[in-house]
Amino acid sequence: QQQVKQSPQSLIVQKGGISIINCAYENTAFDYFPWYQQFPGKGPALLIAIRPDVSEKKEGRFTISFNKSAKQFSLHIMDSQPGDSATYFCAASNAGKSTFGDGTTLTVKP
Amino acid sequence: DGGITQSPKYLFRKEGQNVTLSCEQNLNHDAMYWYRQDPGQGLRLIYYSQIVNDFQKGDIAEGYSVSREKKESFPLTVTSAQKNPTAFYLCASSYSGNRRQPQHFGDGTRLSIL
């Protein structure tokens, strides 16, 4: 049973555009929702994270929107750059244990 | 610099052979994790450990074994019972307990069958 569903699987955006990746979860016990960025041949690295008592968190060009009632959260990348081209994973955590989405491969065209 | 070191970066396994992947962290984290990553799939949890000398099976533990004799180290053995071991293996660590903290990942070991 997949507890975190991520979409789309791949995304192509023009430089300067907005990239949007969506995730949905089922288990209401999750209490921490991080997003990770992964470049080829490297491990994932934390990009931004949110707690369920907050509806939005912004760090630079990256924003998480969180809808607790719908059990959905999304990552918005504003002014997307070619250097943002990577795979993005959402995750949902409880007591330190995380469940990951299947990942979204983002390509930003110059 | 604090971080997680995985070695080797590439590993080849022969039929019937057990291989061990190394993971060391100097972040003073209590919890450590092993994930398997296949193309087009998310990270699947193999084993995790919240404290020294204790570990739990994750979602895909069959054919794998671990030990946690030291806080800094969490080696993973891929046994001959794992019939499809080709994958990218990632080790991670975090603070344990109910703290809302991210996991920190190493740069992985890519395992292939000879």
Side-chain angles (χ1 to χ4, degrees):
Chain A
Q1 179 190 10
Q2 185 180 10
Q3 296 190 49
V4 178
K5 294 185 179 180
Q6 183 173 345
S7 63
Q9 187 174 17
S10 62
L11 182 61
I12 299 174
V13 173
Q14 290 294 129
K15 178 182 175 182
I18 302 174
S19 305
I20 302 174
I21 304 170
N22 301 297
C23 283
Y25 63 97
E26 299 168 5
N27 187 349
T28 55
F30 291 135
D31 63 0
Y32 181 69
F33 300 88
W35 284 89
Y36 294 89
Q37 180 187 55
Q38 184 181 29
F39 293 103
K42 297 292 188 180
L46 177 71
L47 187 63
I48 186 173
I50 197 167
R51 295 161 44 147
D53 53 348
V54 175
S55 62
E56 185 175 284
K57 183 175 182 180
K58 183 176 180 179
E59 290 184 0
R61 295 185 294 110
F62 302 92
T63 300
I64 299 178
S65 298
F66 188 84
N67 186 328
K68 188 174 181 178
S69 61
K71 294 187 284 186
Q72 295 176 348
F73 58 110
S74 60
L75 175 69
H76 295 232
I77 305 176
M78 310 299 288
D79 187 27
S80 299
Q81 299 297 312
D84 297 330
S85 297
T87 300
Y88 293 81
F89 292 95
C90 63
S93 300
N94 176 250
K97 193 178 166 193
S98 295
T99 301
F100 291 82
D102 283 347
T104 295
T105 301
L106 171 65
T107 303
V108 181
K109 298 209 164 194
Chain B
D1 275 347
I4 297 181
T5 301
Q6 289 187 242
S7 63
K9 192 171 179 64
Y10 300 96
L11 188 58
F12 298 90
R13 195 192 87 170
K14 297 179 182 178
E15 291 287 339
Q17 184 183 40
N18 293 352
V19 292
T20 297
L21 285 59
S22 171
C23 178
E24 303 277 333
Q25 56 99 0
N26 60 3
L27 298 167
N28 200 32
H29 287 162
D30 293 304
M32 297 187 74
Y33 312 82
W34 274 106
Y35 294 93
R36 172 179 171 139
Q37 186 175 26
D38 294 283
Q41 297 190 36
L43 282 65
R44 293 186 289 167
L45 183 64
I46 304 173
Y47 269 99
Y48 66 104
S49 168
Q50 302 275 24
I51 196 169
V52 174
N53 292 322
D54 188 41
F55 48 82
Q56 286 77 41
K57 293 182 179 180
D59 301 318
I60 56 166
E62 186 175 348
Y64 301 96
S65 66
V66 294
S67 63
R68 187 85 187 277
E69 297 177 2
K70 298 188 300 182
K71 184 176 183 176
E72 301 80 14
S73 179
F74 192 40
L76 173 74
T77 296
V78 183
T79 74
S80 57
Q82 172 51 246
K83 298 306 179 187
N84 183 24
T86 298
F88 190 50
Y89 290 87
L90 288 160
C91 178
S93 70
S94 72
Y95 292 106
S96 65
N98 291 320
R99 285 193 259 187
R100 293 163 176 165
Q101 294 288 334
Q103 294 183 7
H104 296 253
F105 287 85
D107 280 340
T109 292
R110 190 167 297 280
L111 176 61
S112 303
I113 296 180
L114 276 179

